[in-house]
């Protein structure tokens, strides 16, 4: 009665390698930014404005990826930008996930009045235009790292709540949940030991996706000058600056843009890859 | 002998009013197998779920009593009820695909019941689980304990579910169409296994099925259910010799026999269905009055 599907382990796919690798590099860059950044990210030098990247003519040593119109080093700003991007991704992503997933789990598994309250709340919440909401919030409590994180949590917890609610509802109807209850388990215990492990792959996928979204939202807010402060080194801020001088100095726009793109892509690919890996049925 | 499970005038309704079970009464004695037959949608599973306290949320018990080992489950507080049910009853479910948690290994899924219900130590439970898996004729139980459900065939999963149902020595087992999801050759093995386990453990067994052929092989008594109403409740021999209710007679005629496998595959006549429907309507009228 042996089964061919046995205990075979899937090798880590290329997708996981690439996305995980890029994020690891980024994390290192963020952690060690003060050590590896060749210049001070805030130091302006109007005499060395718009220096091109190292392979073009007219460069100066130490400014590998060129400088912006105020003479700030693009590479150093990007390294420090990784710090802000990753802090926002981790903190905002995790908070959003914890709040949204808990509410979704409770609504989907308990049903009844907890579900009615939470679902109604989600519906009302989603009737607000989210970006307007975030801008309003920042207008009220001011710009800064905390308000960006808050804005992301406020906009996006409903995504977790809705998806996890649906999943928990499906799992809750399965016979193994009934069996656990017949065996005398409490409802809360059943939720934690039976339902949660089964929705975990989805939570992980949503979480990493959310981290990517957090990076984008932070960039958008920087782009419209609602992020941390005008000269703080953020990717969004750099993109917004680079946009105005793209004909004279394309590198100010292109390097942060590519980094942003790769990062967001990596987050979503990492999520998908992890989901496949954690899901015992797909594994 | 006092029946171990005694359901008295149980009524279950949708929360919006529609009746699902209509004054159902049935008894299952210790060491006996009681069959519960009826067409799909008759409410067979809902009887089992009422006993085990796992009715879907849209449904509620609107009247009656469920006596389990001398205690009316519906008259004690929910926490106590859950405890009693956990200690005395277990379910062999219809679909072995959804009855095991896909994210946990087989071993803990069996031993957990022993630890939860009987308060055993992990090591004792582990040893007992191995024994049980051997008892349900699983080769290499030590390996199976480490497998995930999706790594096993449907027949193996059903064996595991049987082992896990008998694990905590329940005095009542409810088997809800335990063989429907399996192919015919495996069905026979599983059926024999359940009958053997029941005889060895001496538990009361409520056996839900829509197959009279199966009932005739394993049951001591049976109830015939139509639209949530028990239309006949009889000992096995009496039922197959002299079925009283016209619906039972039609059902018997519709069951293929060994000597005449196709000739007896007759649909239940419309006149009989109309008659039962009338009974149901009458019942509802009396019930509302
Ligand atoms: N969650 C639910 N909400 C509303 N009605 C339900 C629900 N579950 C079951 N029912 C109704 O209860 C009735 C009895 O269903 P039940 O599952 O007990 O039938 P059954 O006799 O077990 O049939 P089968 O042989 O198909 O398993 C059906 O008419 C069904 O429509
Ligand atoms: Mg059923």
């Amino acid at each position: 009665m042996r089964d061919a599907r046995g205990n075979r382990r899937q090798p880590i796919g290329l997708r996981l390698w690439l996305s995980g690798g890029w994020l690891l590099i980024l994390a290192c860059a963020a952690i060690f930014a003060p050590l590896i950044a060749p210049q001070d990210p805030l130091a302006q030098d109007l005499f060395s404005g718009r220096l091109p990247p190292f392979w073009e003519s007219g460069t100066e040593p130490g400014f590998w990826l060129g400088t912006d119109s105020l003479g700030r080093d693009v590479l150093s700003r990007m390294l420090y930008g990784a710090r802000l991007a990753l802090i926002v991704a981790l903190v905002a992503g995790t908070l959003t996930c914890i709040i949204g997933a808990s509410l979704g789990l409770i609504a989907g598994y308990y049903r009844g009045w907890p579900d009615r309250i939470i679902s109604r709340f989600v519906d009302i919440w989603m009737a607000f235009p989210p970006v307007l909401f975030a801008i309003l919030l920042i207008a009220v409590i001011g710009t800064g790292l905390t308000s960006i994180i808050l804005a992301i949590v406020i906009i996006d917890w409903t995504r977790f709540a809705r998806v996890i609610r649906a999943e928990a509802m499906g799992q809750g109807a399965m016979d193994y949940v009934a069996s656990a209850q017949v065996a005398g388990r409490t409802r809360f215990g059943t939720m934690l030991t039976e339902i949660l492990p089964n929705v975990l792959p989805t939570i992980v996928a949503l979480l990493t996706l959310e981290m990517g979204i957090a990076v984008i939202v932070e960039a958008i807010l920087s782009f419209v000058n609602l992020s941390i402060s005008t000269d703080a080194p953020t990717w969004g801020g750099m993109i917004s600056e680079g946009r105005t001088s793209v004909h004279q100095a394309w590198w100010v726009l292109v390097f942060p843009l590519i980094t942003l793109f790769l990062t967001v892509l990596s987050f979503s690919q990492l999520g998908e890859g992890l989901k496949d890996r954690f899901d015992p049925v797909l594994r | 002998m006092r029946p171990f499970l005694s359901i008295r005038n149980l009524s279950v309704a949708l929360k919006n009013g529609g009746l699902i079970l209509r004054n159902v009464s049935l008894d299952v004695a210790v060491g006996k197998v009681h069959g519960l037959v009826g067409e799909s949608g008759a409410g067979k599973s809902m009887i089992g779920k009422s006993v085990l306290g796992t009715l879907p949320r849209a449904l509620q018990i609107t009247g009656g009593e469920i006596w389990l080992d001398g205690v009316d489950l519906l008259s004690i507080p929910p926490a106590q009820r859950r405890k009693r049910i956990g200690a005395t009853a277990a379910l062999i479910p219809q679909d072995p695909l959804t009855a095991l948690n896909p994210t946990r290994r087989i071993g803990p899924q069996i031993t957990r019941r022993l630890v939860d219900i009987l308060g055993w130590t992990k090591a004792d439970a582990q040893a007992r689980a191995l024994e049980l898996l051997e008892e349900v004729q699983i080769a290499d139980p030590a390996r199976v304990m480490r497998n995930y459900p999706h790594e096993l065939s449907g027949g193996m999963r059903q064996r595991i579910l049987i082992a896990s149902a008998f694990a905590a020595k329940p005095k009542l087992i409810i088997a809800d169409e335990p063989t429907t999801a399996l192919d015919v050759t495996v069905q026979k093995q599983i059926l024999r296994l359940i009958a053997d386990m029941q005889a060895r453990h001496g538990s009361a067994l409520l056996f839900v099925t829509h197959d009279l052929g199966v009932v005739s092989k394993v049951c001591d008594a049976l109830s015939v259910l139509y639209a949530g109403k028990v239309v006949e409740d009889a000992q096995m021999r009496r039922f197959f010799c002299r079925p009283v209710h016209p619906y039972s007679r039609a059902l018997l005629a519709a069951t293929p026999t060994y000597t005449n496998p196709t000739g007896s595959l007759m649909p239940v006549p419309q006149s009989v269905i109309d008659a039962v429907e009338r009974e149901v309507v009458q019942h509802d009228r009396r019930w509302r009055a």
Side-chain angles (χ1 to χ4, degrees):
Chain A
M1 280 207 187
R2 273 194 91 85
D3 196 315
R5 277 169 294 179
N7 283 322
R8 195 151 32 87
R9 280 249 162 193
Q10 208 182 8
I12 298 182
L14 189 66
R15 180 159 73 166
L16 267 183
W17 272 118
L18 286 179
S19 55
W22 173 254
L23 291 174
L24 202 66
I25 292 172
L26 213 61
C28 290
I31 292 167
F32 301 113
L35 297 179
I36 51 179
Q39 310 290 335
D40 177 350
L42 300 178
Q44 304 184 3
D45 179 0
L46 292 178
F47 293 107
S48 51
R50 291 188 186 148
L51 291 177
F54 68 90
W55 62 84
E56 292 196 359
S57 58
T59 61
E60 263 182 52
F63 296 93
W64 295 101
L65 298 182
T67 60
D68 62 11
S69 51
L70 296 176
R72 295 173 299 191
D73 181 39
V74 169
L75 178 62
S76 303
R77 285 181 75 73
M78 271 168 56
L79 290 174
Y80 276 89
R83 273 194 157 184
L84 291 172
L86 287 190
I87 288 175
V88 170
L90 284 181
V91 179
T94 312
L95 278 180
T96 315
C97 173
I98 290 174
I99 294 171
S102 315
L103 289 175
L105 202 59
I106 289 170
Y109 178 59
Y110 278 81
R111 310 293 306 278
W113 61 264
D115 184 26
R116 276 199 292 279
I117 293 175
I118 293 171
S119 296
R120 216 35 38 79
F121 200 51
V122 168
D123 289 343
I124 294 170
W125 206 263
M126 288 186 12
F128 287 108
V131 174
L132 197 69
F133 211 42
I135 291 175
L136 235 129
L137 180 93
I138 291 172
V140 172
I141 66 176
T143 58
L145 202 56
T146 325
S147 17
I148 293 175
I149 289 170
L150 267 182
I152 293 169
V153 174
I154 282 174
I155 294 172
D156 263 352
W157 68 273
T158 52
R159 181 204 322 273
F160 280 84
R162 273 181 313 146
V163 176
I164 299 303
R165 171 179 175 269
E167 285 249 326
M169 228 155 87
Q171 293 295 335
M174 299 272 182
D175 279 338
Y176 68 83
V177 178
S179 297
Q181 266 167 27
V182 173
R185 285 255 149 158
T186 60
R187 302 210 53 197
F188 191 69
T190 312
M191 182 174 87
L192 291 189
T193 57
E194 308 290 325
I195 308 279
L196 184 58
N198 280 289
V199 297
L200 206 56
T202 310
I203 293 183
V204 169
L206 279 179
L207 173 62
T208 46
L209 191 68
E210 184 59 43
M211 290 182 174
I213 291 174
V215 171
I216 293 189
V217 172
E218 191 271 331
I220 291 176
L221 290 175
S222 306
F223 193 79
V224 295
N225 254 334
L226 279 177
S227 188
I228 299 161
S229 70
T230 35
D231 63 338
T234 61
W235 296 343
M238 295 176 76
I239 292 169
S240 135
E241 256 169 45
R243 185 183 50 117
T244 55
S245 60
V246 67
H247 296 296
Q248 300 87 19
W250 55 267
W251 50 90
V252 185
L253 174 71
V254 169
F255 291 127
L257 201 60
I258 292 174
T259 317
L260 181 72
F261 172 75
L262 285 179
T263 306
V264 174
L265 185 70
S266 293
F267 271 124
S268 76
Q269 290 306 303
L270 185 74
E272 288 298 308
L274 284 180
K275 185 183 161 96
D276 289 358
R277 212 169 153 68
F278 276 132
D279 198 326
V281 184
L282 294 176
R283 182 161 58 196
Chain B
M1 191 171 34
R2 189 186 67 183
F4 187 76
L5 168 70
S6 177
I7 300 175
R8 301 266 68 103
N9 303 316
L10 178 70
S11 292
V12 168
L14 285 168
K15 291 211 169 120
N16 64 21
L19 278 176
I20 299 290
L21 293 181
R22 302 172 153 92
N23 271 322
V24 169
S25 295
L26 64 83
D27 295 323
V28 190
V30 177
K32 296 283 194 238
V33 184
H34 191 97
L36 187 54
V37 293
E39 58 185 33
S40 190
K44 306 181 295 290
S45 298
M46 294 309 138
I47 293 183
K49 289 185 174 174
S50 304
V51 175
L52 296 173
T54 54
L55 275 179
R57 266 166 266 264
L59 273 60
Q60 63 187 1
I61 294 177
T62 52
E65 294 154 17
I66 299 175
W67 293 84
L68 185 67
D69 200 12
V71 177
D72 178 13
L73 291 177
L74 302 183
S75 68
I76 57 178
Q80 230 174 312
R81 185 188 315 155
R82 249 203 322 269
K83 231 183 180 149
R84 280 200 92 81
I85 294 172
T88 44
L91 171 77
I92 303 176
Q94 172 167 1
D95 185 359
L97 278 175
T98 64
L100 288 166
N101 188 337
T103 52
R104 312 180 75 198
R105 293 174 197 276
I106 301 296
Q109 300 204 44
I110 302 176
T111 55
R112 191 196 56 207
R113 300 178 68 87
L114 295 166
V115 175
D116 275 5
I117 299 172
L118 301 179
W120 287 20
T121 63
K122 272 248 167 74
D124 286 350
Q126 192 87 7
R128 174 85 179 117
L130 280 173
E131 255 174 55
L132 278 162
L133 288 183
E134 252 165 55
E135 209 176 325
V136 294
Q137 293 143 32
I138 281 180
D140 199 358
R143 182 181 68 90
V144 170
M145 297 263 285
R146 287 192 306 273
N147 279 136
Y148 284 97
H150 67 101
E151 294 167 344
L152 305 168
S153 67
M156 293 231 332
R157 281 187 237 187
Q158 195 57 294
R159 281 170 197 275
I160 287 161
L161 287 165
I162 292 167
S164 126
F166 281 95
K169 305 195 167 71
K171 299 211 188 70
L172 171 72
I173 302 260
I174 296 179
D176 191 351
E177 308 197 37
T179 58
T180 346
L182 306 170
D183 69 56
V184 186
T185 48
V186 182
Q187 271 182 11
K188 279 207 186 111
Q189 299 167 4
I190 295 292
L191 211 57
R192 160 134 330 131
L193 180 66
I194 293 176
D196 283 355
M197 293 286 281
Q198 185 271 335
R200 203 170 322 135
H201 293 250
S203 14
L205 175 62
L206 180 62
F207 193 95
V208 177
T209 177
H210 48 236
D211 186 347
L212 272 181
V214 168
V215 168
S216 68
K217 287 197 197 79
V218 298
C219 297
D220 301 298
L222 90 168
S223 301
V224 181
L225 204 64
Y226 182 89
K229 192 174 181 311
V230 176
V231 295
E232 177 137 14
D233 190 357
Q235 291 300 309
M236 219 48 230
R237 171 128 3 113
R238 211 272 278 134
F239 180 82
F240 278 94
C241 302
R242 286 178 285 113
V244 174
H245 199 275
Y247 181 72
S248 311
R249 257 177 262 153
L251 216 55
L252 266 177
T255 305
T257 58
Y258 189 67
T259 45
N260 189 4
T262 51
S264 53
L265 272 175
M266 299 199 323
V268 177
Q270 192 58 43
S271 60
V272 174
I273 299 220
D274 290 345
V276 205
E277 287 288 355
R278 264 199 303 282
E279 270 180 48
V280 169
V281 171
Q282 265 168 20
H283 164 275
D284 286 3
R285 221 174 270 144
R286 245 179 299 130
W287 189 78
R288 289 222 170 77

